Amino acid sequence: NAGVTQTPKFRILKIGQSMTLQCTQDMNHNYMYWYRQDPGMGLKLIYYSVGAGITDKGEVPNGYNVSRSTTEDFPLRLELAAPSQTSVYFCASSTGRRTGELFFGEGSRLTVL
Amino acid sequence: AQKITQTQPGMFVQEKEAVTLDCTYDTSDQSYGLFWYKQPSSGEMIFLIYQGSYDEQNATEGRYSLNFQKARKSANLVISASQLGDSAMYFCAMSLYNFNKFYFGSGTKLNVKP
């Protein structure tokens, strides 16, 4: 049981480049999330999805896009990377039940130079 | 707007002693859940404990307990008999049942001294 898998684990981008962070889960969870964690800080919600075909903005969506074509996959797209997007990105999923905690991927460390 | 506040950026505790990590939250919703996560230096997020807003008893999971005071909007994590492996960042989080979005505090870095 792999849980939540994110790729890549590390990436360095140049300003203005674009990339996609991949996230897949094998727990058949309807709810999926993307968070970013800046150094020494908590997690900020970028986007989330309550099911295939449904996405919504979180607290810090600017500069990002998402799609949810299947239950399993929830990729995060960075367009025109900026130094302010240097962060650790976490993908997570949950059952959506009241007591359902978040299951996290291992994180993706992105540096924009 | 929903907000989670952790006022202790860093804490030290002696091995085998108990420690309380503070968390206060702000929401006008009546239905919500409170969670604590541990983040070791390796970076992964580990779920520790959950408390529902309608739960009358404080949640416990092994050495972890959650001191839930609804009127004060606080959800403090108590770790009993601290171990060296407890050294990590600890995050308090809240989920609103109607929206299923999780909001996180800024974290507390716990250092357990031998």
Side-chain angles (χ1 to χ4, degrees):
Chain A
N1 190 348
V4 179
T5 303
Q6 292 180 234
T7 56
K9 288 187 170 45
F10 302 93
R11 182 76 186 265
I12 298 175
L13 281 180
K14 294 182 179 179
I15 294 172
Q17 286 185 323
S18 300
M19 75 160 296
T20 299
L21 295 174
Q22 301 292 343
C23 176
T24 187
Q25 52 93 7
D26 61 1
M27 297 174 282
N28 201 31
H29 288 169
N30 283 325
Y31 291 74
M32 295 188 74
Y33 310 80
W34 275 105
Y35 285 89
R36 60 176 286 173
Q37 184 181 24
D38 297 330
M41 304 294 286
L43 281 71
K44 297 291 187 185
L45 181 63
I46 305 172
Y47 271 95
Y48 69 106
S49 168
V50 301
I54 306 169
T55 63
D56 205 350
K57 296 178 181 179
E59 303 165 273
V60 290
N62 291 343
Y64 307 95
N65 277 301
V66 294
S67 60
R68 184 95 182 270
S69 57
T70 67
T71 300
E72 294 78 20
D73 300 309
F74 191 41
L76 177 71
R77 178 83 177 160
L78 282 73
E79 304 282 0
L80 299 175
S84 61
Q85 293 178 303
T86 293
S87 191
V88 178
Y89 292 83
F90 286 97
C91 180
S93 71
S94 79
T95 60
R97 293 197 299 268
R98 288 186 170 190
T99 59
E101 75 269 27
L102 287 173
F103 291 82
F104 283 90
E106 293 183 339
S108 299
R109 184 176 296 275
L110 175 67
T111 302
V112 182
L113 300 175
Chain B
Q2 331 305 323
K3 188 175 181 181
I4 300 284
T5 302
Q6 295 180 252
T7 57
Q8 306 154 312
M11 289 191 68
F12 286 90
V13 65
Q14 203 69 36
E15 192 179 9
K16 300 181 184 177
E17 291 185 348
V19 63
T20 297
L21 307 183
D22 294 341
C23 173
T24 59
Y25 60 93
D26 188 17
T27 180
S28 56
D29 277 46
Q30 297 300 310
S31 301
Y32 51 88
L34 297 157
F35 301 78
W36 278 90
Y37 287 85
K38 173 184 179 181
Q39 187 178 43
S41 57
S42 50
E44 72 269 30
M45 296 288 286
I46 302 167
F47 165 71
L48 295 177
I49 195 166
Y50 161 83
Q51 177 86 40
S53 60
Y54 296 113
D55 295 341
E56 295 185 351
Q57 290 197 336
N58 288 340
T60 60
E61 287 287 348
R63 295 186 299 111
Y64 303 109
S65 60
L66 200 153
N67 185 358
F68 180 47
Q69 299 188 40
K70 194 170 183 177
R72 295 185 177 183
K73 293 189 175 179
S74 74
N76 299 338
L77 177 70
V78 180
I79 305 175
S80 63
S82 297
Q83 302 172 355
L84 296 178
D86 294 334
S87 294
M89 281 288 284
Y90 289 82
F91 292 99
C92 180
M94 176 175 66
S95 169
L96 303 181
Y97 291 158
N98 289 339
F99 300 99
N100 218 265
K101 289 194 286 189
F102 289 73
Y103 300 89
F104 284 80
S106 56
T108 296
K109 186 172 176 60
L110 178 66
N111 202 320
V112 180
K113 298 186 293 184

